[in-house]
Amino acid sequence: MDLKSNHTAPVLTDQSTLFLLESLGQNNCNDVLPIYVGDDKTDKDAFKVLTERKCGYEFLVTSAPKKSNAYYSLMDPSEVHTFSFR
């Protein structure tokens, strides 16, 4: 399976992450477990929202350790794939 893509995924900012949770009626995250996976380039705001709300899990995809608002990390897209199907 080829994990590379030629399209750009939509970017979820802090406001759109909050909007999505609120639209689903999940402001308090009692019935939903958000999992956000990103490379931190455009994902840091969404990581921050989930971290501050103590709601869900944030995964930074990076081959080298770096400071991030994400609490967890995965090495590369193939590790994301492996994690996703466990």
Side-chain angles (χ1 to χ4, degrees), residues 16-50:
S16 57
T17 301
L18 288 171
F19 175 78
L20 181 59
L21 289 171
E22 290 169 4
S23 295
L24 295 170
Q26 301 300 327
N27 296 354
N28 58 12
C29 297
N30 287 336
D31 297 325
V32 68
L33 178 64
I35 297 175
Y36 196 99
V37 180
D39 62 10
D40 207 35
K41 292 175 186 167
T42 57
D43 306 302
K44 60 185 171 188
D45 293 333
F47 289 154
K48 184 177 178 185
V49 165
L50 296 179

Side-chain angles (χ1 to χ4, degrees), residues 73-85:
S73 67
L74 297 166
M75 295 281 295
D76 54 37
S78 65
E79 193 168 62
V80 172
H81 180 265
T82 300
F83 171 79
S84 298
F85 289 98

